[in-house]
Amino acid sequence: MKALRYISSVVAAATLFAACEKQDDDMPKIDIEASTAPVLATMSDAIDGSEEAYTFYFTPGKFVVDGQEVTLGAKDNRTQYALQVDLENGDFSSPATIEKQNYDSTDKFTVNYDAICSAVCNWNTELASPVKSWTGNLQYRVLILPGSNTADGFASKPITVPTVIKYVDPNPRFYICNNAGWDDVRLYAWGDENDAIGTWPGLEPTETVEVNGKTYYAFDIKEKLGSKNEHLIANNNDNGMQINDIFVGVFSTSVYVTINEDLTFTIDSETSSQPEPEPEPIDDSNLPEYVKATVSGSKVIVETDKDIVLYVWAWNDTEGLGQLTEAGWPGDKLTLTSSNDGKFTYEYDFTAAPAIPESFIISTDNDVKFFDGVPFTDGASYDWNKSDKPEPEPVDPELLKNLTFTFKTDTEGDYYVWAWGGDYGGDEFTESGSWPGDKLELKSSENGEYIYGYSFTKTPGILPTNIIISTDGGDTKIYDGVEFENGKEY
């Protein structure tokens, strides 16, 4: 272990008590043998990111001057304490310093979790990988710094704490690996601020980089987004292909995404974005009592009993054209064509579009969707009534405690479940809250037959109506949206 040099500490400490003109015989006598380093209290819980900040308590170091016990640095802002970390088998010869603070009367460090991760990531070892987190034991210590050199001081005995380290990039970027064969890749953002990183089709990549054997396009978006809650869309430079919601949230640290050949996408890294804020309850007092949408040739005609702003979003994936409306979400504004006796008619014509839409959405400016992804078929008519929204039927609470199913296969592997029902998606039914959902548990294995099981322990108060069973991290769907039956074997 790198030796701590106490000489400069002693000199610095003695200086605090020495008069400028005293002779050697009059100098305070420091009892080095009686000096004690600070004591760092043991952490009872692991540092795993479940808390925003973690507190390290310590007892300040003490020594003896002329027979009197003195707390080093007590209420003296010239003396600093440093919180340091090293690998479990390290010797603190090259520690990472998480934080320094002057000692006045504080006997604790309260450290942001990201600050711990950033300190460790700066080692640039295998601990800091852009596509995964690291879990292991790290040792922490407190060092008293009477001088400016972190190698000179009284050190506490280290404590060992299980720690989960996530990668913290000093230059957060959004990275896309293009495995879909696109000639070009663009990134577009909508949400708190539409066109936040540029008008459609969005931002060009800054450069390409190699990470763990994969080539990614790097997009510099952090400064443009700030703390905005955004939806990101990847597209092939407005040439008919796009992937919606490739990221949703507040962008805060590097995210690595792979666009697959089948136009699905895989998150290669866990994001540390802030969760989306809870949506504000919709004030339906300003909504019309009814909305009717009719498709007539290349037009969609909408009738309501209230003058409101309406938008249409349309697409045609069958012909590989993707979005057909000109503006980003929520799309293009419908035109009010008539108003008579409390009846308001709006229209939008797709004559100038490169093709007739396959599907469309009609919504308001506060994102209330009256028709969500309905077919654009000539002569089709769709109705929405405020009073028609059914209340979910009550479910026996005892039944919700025992929602299970099993899955039989001849191939051993990792299988996942994603579920939905009513207005709720898999984030409300699965503990993971993100695709591909929760991992199934292997219940039995005999004669080449594997049976996996799952119990829904998290429910929003209703039964799941449909489930997806997948493997390969969600890339391969075994059952896609099949009806859920309690206790069934799939």
Side-chain angles (χ1 to χ4, degrees):
M1 181 175 183
K2 185 175 181 179
L4 294 175
R5 296 185 294 242
Y6 292 98
I7 296 176
S8 63
S9 301
V10 171
V11 171
T15 303
L16 299 178
F17 301 94
C20 294
E21 301 299 327
K22 287 188 176 182
Q23 301 299 318
D24 288 347
D25 291 343
D26 297 325
M27 291 289 286
K29 299 300 188 293
I30 300 176
D31 186 349
I32 298 177
E33 296 300 322
S35 67
T36 59
V39 176
L40 183 61
T42 300
M43 299 281 284
S44 58
D45 297 319
I47 297 174
D48 57 6
S50 59
E51 304 291 336
E52 290 186 4
Y54 293 85
T55 300
F56 295 80
Y57 292 93
F58 66 92
T59 301
K62 298 180 179 180
F63 60 98
V64 174
V65 177
D66 287 340
Q68 299 295 318
E69 189 177 77
V70 176
T71 300
L72 183 59
K75 296 184 179 179
D76 176 6
N77 60 17
R78 289 174 297 178
T79 301
Q80 284 191 322
Y81 282 72
L83 180 64
Q84 297 183 325
V85 62
D86 200 352
L87 292 168
E88 183 180 22
N89 59 354
D91 61 2
F92 283 99
S93 58
S94 301
T97 298
I98 301 172
E99 187 174 318
K100 296 179 185 178
Q101 67 184 29
N102 295 331
Y103 178 76
D104 45 20
S105 59
T106 303
D107 59 356
K108 63 184 179 182
F109 279 93
T110 300
V111 186
N112 184 278
Y113 175 66
D114 284 347
I116 299 174
C117 293
S118 296
V120 174
C121 286
N122 287 336
W123 284 335
N124 291 323
T125 69
E126 67 275 8
L127 299 186
S129 169
V131 294
K132 65 180 179 180
S133 60
W134 176 89
T135 302
N137 291 327
L138 295 178
Q139 53 177 340
Y140 299 81
R141 74 175 185 181
V142 169
L143 189 71
I144 304 174
L145 304 173
S148 61
N149 192 334
T150 57
D152 297 333
F154 298 97
S156 70
K157 289 184 178 179
I159 61 171
T160 300
V161 185
T163 306
V164 177
I165 296 297
K166 69 177 183 182
Y167 180 73
V168 178
D169 196 328
N171 179 29
R173 286 170 154 187
F174 196 89
Y175 295 88
I176 295 178
C177 177
N178 173 23
N179 283 346
W182 292 356
D183 293 333
D184 208 346
V185 179
R186 293 290 187 273
L187 193 64
Y188 177 77
W190 66 272
D192 285 353
E193 179 185 343
N194 294 339
D195 300 342
I197 59 176
T199 57
W200 181 265
L203 187 68
E204 296 183 32
T206 304
E207 61 176 338
T208 59
V209 297
E210 294 288 332
V211 179
N212 289 355
K214 297 178 69 172
T215 301
Y216 289 88
Y217 291 95
F219 295 84
D220 291 315
I221 64 174
K222 181 67 171 66
E223 296 304 319
K224 295 180 175 65
L225 294 186
S227 60
K228 300 179 184 71
N229 188 63
E230 296 288 309
H231 297 246
L232 300 185
I233 297 175
N235 68 90
N236 63 339
N237 197 13
D238 200 24
N239 282 315
M241 296 291 179
Q242 70 181 60
I243 300 178
N244 298 328
D245 288 352
I246 199 166
F247 173 88
V248 179
V250 178
F251 184 81
S252 60
T253 193
S254 291
V255 178
Y256 294 75
V257 176
T258 295
I259 299 176
N260 303 309
E261 187 176 357
D262 61 357
L263 297 186
T264 60
F265 68 92
T266 304
I267 303 295
D268 297 333
S269 62
E270 296 180 359
T271 68
S272 62
S273 65
Q274 301 172 16
E276 288 190 77
E278 290 294 326
E280 294 291 332
I282 295 174
D283 180 8
D284 62 5
S285 62
N286 293 321
L287 294 179
E289 291 297 325
Y290 79 92
V291 180
K292 181 176 182 178
T294 303
V295 179
S296 177
S298 62
K299 291 184 178 180
V300 57
I301 303 168
V302 180
E303 299 176 356
T304 79
D305 64 336
K306 182 171 286 191
D307 186 9
I308 59 174
V309 178
L310 293 172
Y311 295 86
V312 60
W313 178 271
W315 64 94
N316 190 322
D317 290 337
T318 300
E319 297 185 31
L321 297 174
Q323 176 192 345
L324 296 177
T325 40
E326 294 181 4
W329 178 260
D332 295 342
K333 188 182 296 185
L334 275 70
T335 302
L336 178 65
T337 58
S338 70
S339 172
N340 187 24
D341 294 331
K343 178 181 175 180
F344 301 87
T345 303
Y346 305 82
E347 290 186 6
Y348 187 90
D349 195 342
F350 286 93
T351 299
I356 297 298
E358 177 185 12
S359 304
F360 68 99
I361 298 170
I362 300 293
S363 68
T364 66
D365 55 354
N366 64 341
D367 206 15
V368 176
K369 297 176 183 176
F370 298 116
F371 310 108
D372 189 359
V374 294
F376 194 95
T377 305
D378 188 21
S381 182
Y382 306 97
D383 293 285
W384 178 92
N385 290 278
K386 185 193 295 186
S387 59
D388 285 348
K389 186 175 180 180
E391 293 295 328
E393 296 184 5
V395 179
D396 182 358
E398 292 301 316
L399 176 60
L400 294 177
K401 296 179 182 178
N402 189 32
L403 296 178
T404 64
F405 69 88
T406 55
F407 166 64
K408 183 166 65 175
T409 176
D410 60 0
T411 305
E412 185 178 11
D414 293 333
Y415 296 92
Y416 300 85
V417 60
W418 184 259
W420 67 90
D423 294 330
Y424 302 100
D427 52 343
E428 294 293 337
F429 286 98
T430 59
E431 294 291 341
S432 67
S434 61
W435 177 260
D438 292 345
K439 190 175 179 179
L440 275 58
E441 180 184 355
L442 180 62
K443 296 293 186 180
S444 67
S445 171
E446 188 174 352
N447 298 326
E449 183 178 87
Y450 303 90
I451 296 179
Y452 295 83
Y454 183 80
S455 296
F456 287 98
T457 58
K458 178 186 177 187
T459 73
I462 65 172
L463 297 170
T465 58
N466 300 83
I467 61 173
I468 296 173
I469 299 176
S470 66
T471 188
D472 298 331
D475 289 344
T476 303
K477 298 175 181 177
I478 311 298
Y479 292 101
D480 189 358
V482 295
E483 181 180 354
F484 172 74
E485 296 181 32
N486 190 27
K488 181 177 179 178
E489 180 178 88
Y490 292 89

